[in-house]
């Protein structure tokens, strides 16, 4: 069923409904920062920033937001949830300099009867009384019909009766929430199609929740049925399973339904990161649009296809969100994945060196699932300076360390075709390894030189799972020698650097003997 393209308002309720997420409480400064970002940079049409009469801290935050909004021309786009309490919510909002109240009425007969103990007539009279006072005080008025989804299903006549009593009052938007997230797309479409057809002169908003993981699909159904605005949150924050994700809704409405929106997509990820940091609720790496990994290709065949003709690219490209495409390096990597990353680093390698580097990446991928572009210079440097000497091979090595306990090592090595086992102890894992390997090397009249320096580092901006590079400077008599080891474990990076030196010196001993 085709539908005509039209403008859909996005109302962000991160600062109100999103703050009802378990464990989330924004400070006034954080609230102001998020509000400014939403309106000034992301350009959402409206924001809901608080519930009236919650706390003095909330009042301070709302006052600061409203003061800024008035100066910037956004005053009528900042909304506060209010209650059917005649003057109290209205006066609270007015005292903060607010211009809009989102009045919370009962959208289901069961809530009205069992929670309030009132009839439709009694409740609607009190709602109209609060509306009249808000209008008298100069506020713009929207109204929530709380639990509308269950109310419409269980007692549609109650819903019609409430809307009939309010439709001629000064209400701008009738906001219909799926408060408990119980609707499926066909139910959303049928109910909104009925409401929009029955009341063509009213503006309806849809306020979805994501309890069944259907929030975005439900938004599509509501828009298809004719609603004019959708409520969302950044990062899907909200009670229980959260609200609809603003990023998902925005992209789906544009790409899949050809709707017109006000928002600037290039700021979605930056604001997602801001809310993630302030809320303490982490975004899944595979979350659509804003997840850390969603524009990363892992399989080598995908990188190959993109290189040969953009075969795996879609309209959902990273550039529109101020992001970049990346190609993960690991055990599933191919030549194309490596080439893409080398291009990004502006590094050229011969075909032979690319093969060596790729082999090392695949090997590391067994112990570290993904190698980043930041890790790659370490690997390149390590591979290019490595010689093909195989006088000593580390076959196995087990480390045990504990707080205030000596570290122990058990290892198995092959030297010139012969297997050896040894154990060692020391003040740390590397010290224990040196003790163990020295016992083996005595049999070959070889003694490790003294350490002159030992440096461990990770890539700039690296994460806790970044590769570790260890560069050891050895005091080899008349000269200092440096060897490098790269591994996901910093102790093993030192061990790799040590094995490299042993290989070099065993080779020199063999050559001089010949």
């Amino acid at each position: 069923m085709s539908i005509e393209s039209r403008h859909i308002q996005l109302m962000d309720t991160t600062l109100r409904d999103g703050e009802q997420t378990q464990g989330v409480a924004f400070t006034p400064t954080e609230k102001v920062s998020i509000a400014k970002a939403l309106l000034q940079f992301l350009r959402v049409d409206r924001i809901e920033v608080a519930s009236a009469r919650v706390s003095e801290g909330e009042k301070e935050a709302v006052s600061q937001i409203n003061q800024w909004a008035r100066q910037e021309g956004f005053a009528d786009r900042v909304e506060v949830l209010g209650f059917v309490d005649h003057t109290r919510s209205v006066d609270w909002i007015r005292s903060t300099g607010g211009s809009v109240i989102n009045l919370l009425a009962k959208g289901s007969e069961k809530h009205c009867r069992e929670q309030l103990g009132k009839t439709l007539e009694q409740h609607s009279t009190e709602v109209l009384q609060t509306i009249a006072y808000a209008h008298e005080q100069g506020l713009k008025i929207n109204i929530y019909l709380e639990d509308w989804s269950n109310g419409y299903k269980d007692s549609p006549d109650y819903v019609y009766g409430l809307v009939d009593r309010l439709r001629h009052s000064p209400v701008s938007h009738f906001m219909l929430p799926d408060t408990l997230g119980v609707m499926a797309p066909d139910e959303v479409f049928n109910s909104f199609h009925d409401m929009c057809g029955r009341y063509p002169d009213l503006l309806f908003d849809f306020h979805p929740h994501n309890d069944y993981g259907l929030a975005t699909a439900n938004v599509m159904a509501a828009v298809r049925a004719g609603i004019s605005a959708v409520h969302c949150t950044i990062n899907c924050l909200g009670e229980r399973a959260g609200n609809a994700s603003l990023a998902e809704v925005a992209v789906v409405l544009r790409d899949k339904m050809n709707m017109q929106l006000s928002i600037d997509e290039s700021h979605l990820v930056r604001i997602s990161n801001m809310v993630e940091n302030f809320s303490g609720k982490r975004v899944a790496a595979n979350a659509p649009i804003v997840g850390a990994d969603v524009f990363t290709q892992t399989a080598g065949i995908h990188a190959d296809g993109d290189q040969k003709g953009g075969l795996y690219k879609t309209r959902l490209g990273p550039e529109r969100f101020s992001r970049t495409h990346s190609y993960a390096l690991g055990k599933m990597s191919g030549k194309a994945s490596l080439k893409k990353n080398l291009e990004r680093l502006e590094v050229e390698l011969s075909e032979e060196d690319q093969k060596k580097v790729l082999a090392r990446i695949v090997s590391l991928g067994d112990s570290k699932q993904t190698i980043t572009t930041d890790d790659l210079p370490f690997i390149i440097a390590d591979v290019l300076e490595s010689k093909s000497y195989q006088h000593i091979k580390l076959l196995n090595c087990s480390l045990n360390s504990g707080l205030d306990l000596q570290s122990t090592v058990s290892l198995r090595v092959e030297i010139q075709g012969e297997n050896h086992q040894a154990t060692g102890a020391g003040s740390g894992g590397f010290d224990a390894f040196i003790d163990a390997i020295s016992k083996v090397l005595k049999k070959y009249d070889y003694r490790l030189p003294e350490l002159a320096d030992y440096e461990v580092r990770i890539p700039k901006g690296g994460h806790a799972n970044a590769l570790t590079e260890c560069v050891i400077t050895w005091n080899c008599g008349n000269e200092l020698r440096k060897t490098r080891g790269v591994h996901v474990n910093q102790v093993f990076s030192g061990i790799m650097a040590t094995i490299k030196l042993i290989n070099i010196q065993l080779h020199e001993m063999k050559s001089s003997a010949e």
Side-chain angles (χ1 to χ4, degrees), residues 183-191 214-222 224:
M183 302 184 88
D186 58 339
E187 296 170 306
V188 172
F189 177 81
N190 292 335
S191 56
L214 293 172
T216 302
N218 285 344
V219 167
M220 295 179 71
R224 192 174 294 113

Side-chain angles (χ1 to χ4, degrees), residues 257-276:
M257 303 190 75
N258 196 32
M259 293 294 140
Q260 302 160 32
L261 303 174
S262 302
I263 72 159
D264 181 349
E265 293 176 341
S266 66
H267 292 280
L268 278 171
V269 176
R270 185 174 69 83
I271 295 173
S272 168
N273 292 338
M274 176 192 291
V275 172
E276 180 181 40

Side-chain angles (χ1 to χ4, degrees), residues 161-410:
L162 182 57
V163 175
D164 287 341
R165 286 165 171 79
L166 304 179
R167 64 184 300 183
H168 299 299
S169 64
V171 172
S172 298
H173 290 257
F174 284 77
M175 307 193 294
L176 307 183
D178 183 11
T179 303
L180 299 178
V182 296
M183 302 184 88
D186 58 339
E187 296 170 306
V188 172
F189 177 81
N190 292 335
S191 56
F192 270 105
H193 188 264
D194 174 42
M195 295 295 290
C196 293
R198 189 179 293 268
Y199 303 104
D201 54 328
L202 301 183
L203 294 178
F204 289 111
D205 292 12
F206 180 39
H207 180 99
H209 278 260
N210 200 38
D211 294 70
Y212 279 95
L214 293 172
T216 302
N218 285 344
V219 167
M220 295 179 71
V223 169
R224 192 174 294 113
I227 58 103
S228 60
V230 176
H231 298 189
C232 316
T233 60
I234 300 296
N235 299 342
C236 205
L237 289 183
E239 282 195 277
R240 306 179 313 277
N243 294 46
S245 162
L246 189 145
E248 292 180 32
V249 166
V251 170
V252 165
L253 291 184
R254 273 187 171 148
D255 290 9
K256 298 302 180 183
M257 303 190 75
N258 196 32
M259 293 294 140
Q260 302 160 32
L261 303 174
S262 302
I263 72 159
D264 181 349
E265 293 176 341
S266 66
H267 292 280
L268 278 171
V269 176
R270 185 174 69 83
I271 295 173
S272 168
N273 292 338
M274 176 192 291
V275 172
E276 180 181 40
N277 290 332
F278 289 165
S279 68
K281 297 294 184 180
R282 298 302 168 213
V283 174
N286 63 348
I289 316 304
V290 297
D293 294 344
V294 295
F295 295 113
T296 298
Q297 299 278 32
T298 300
I301 190 173
H302 293 165
D304 181 65
D306 284 347
Q307 186 168 337
K308 291 177 178 175
L311 303 183
Y312 293 91
K313 293 182 179 179
T314 71
R315 184 176 176 183
L316 202 62
E319 296 79 13
R320 66 191 272 196
F321 309 112
S322 297
R323 301 186 68 179
T324 57
H325 221 124
S326 62
Y327 295 86
L329 296 167
K331 61 184 179 181
M332 297 176 66
S333 297
K335 290 188 296 183
S337 299
L338 176 58
K339 284 183 177 179
K340 287 287 187 181
N341 282 277
L342 291 175
E343 287 171 7
R344 184 175 169 187
L345 291 172
E346 299 181 346
V347 172
E348 293 186 12
L349 294 178
S350 67
E351 287 292 327
E352 186 61 30
D353 285 338
Q354 285 186 42
K355 289 179 182 178
K356 293 178 182 177
V357 170
L358 185 58
R360 186 67 195 281
I361 288 169
V362 172
S363 174
L364 284 167
D366 284 328
S367 57
K368 183 179 189 290
Q369 188 173 11
T370 301
I371 311 299
T372 69
T373 306
D374 292 329
D375 294 323
L376 193 52
F378 285 4
I379 298 172
I380 293 171
D382 183 43
V383 169
L384 294 188
E385 73 176 18
S386 296
K387 306 297 182 182
S388 58
Y389 310 143
Q390 292 294 320
H391 300 290
I392 180 171
K393 294 180 184 179
L394 183 65
L395 302 177
N396 204 347
C397 184
S398 175
L399 303 175
N400 286 293
S401 295
L403 184 64
D404 297 328
L405 295 174
Q406 261 201 329
S407 297
T408 59
V409 162
S410 176

Side-chain angles (χ1 to χ4, degrees), residues 400-441:
N400 286 293
S401 295
L403 184 64
D404 297 328
L405 295 174
Q406 261 201 329
S407 297
T408 59
V409 162
S410 176
L411 60 78
R412 185 162 57 91
V413 294
E414 178 186 304
I415 300 180
Q416 297 172 356
E418 186 177 350
N419 282 5
H420 302 274
Q421 291 184 338
T423 60
S427 57
F430 183 73
D431 189 36
F433 168 78
I434 294 296
D435 182 47
I437 197 68
S438 296
K439 293 175 183 177
V440 176
L441 294 171

Side-chain angles (χ1 to χ4, degrees), residues 15 19 24-37 47 49-50 54-68 92 96 274 278-279:
L15 298 176
E19 200 176 28
V24 173
F26 299 116
T27 67
T29 300
E30 290 170 343
K31 278 203 151 188
V32 173
S33 298
I34 294 170
K36 289 180 178 181
I47 59 173
V49 300
V54 168
S55 68
E56 283 304 310
E58 196 82 327
K59 190 172 186 178
E60 177 189 349
V62 176
S63 297
Q64 290 182 34
I65 292 170
N66 282 324
Q67 181 181 4
W68 171 82
W92 191 94
T96 66
M274 176 192 291
F278 289 165
S279 68

Side-chain angles (χ1 to χ4, degrees), residues 27-99:
T27 67
T29 300
E30 290 170 343
K31 278 203 151 188
V32 173
S33 298
I34 294 170
K36 289 180 178 181
L38 289 170
L39 289 173
Q40 198 167 41
F41 298 109
L42 192 55
R43 298 181 193 167
V44 297
D45 298 281
R46 299 147 53 198
I47 59 173
E48 189 176 45
V49 300
S51 297
R53 300 167 32 218
V54 168
S55 68
E56 283 304 310
E58 196 82 327
K59 190 172 186 178
E60 177 189 349
V62 176
S63 297
Q64 290 182 34
I65 292 170
N66 282 324
Q67 181 181 4
W68 171 82
R70 283 195 305 275
Q71 294 171 351
E72 299 295 327
F74 296 133
D76 62 344
R77 293 164 63 178
V78 177
E79 305 173 4
V80 174
L81 182 74
F83 306 97
V84 181
D85 52 18
H86 192 197
T87 64
R88 287 186 293 167
S89 290
V90 173
D91 288 346
W92 191 94
I93 294 169
R94 290 284 293 149
S95 71
T96 66
S99 302

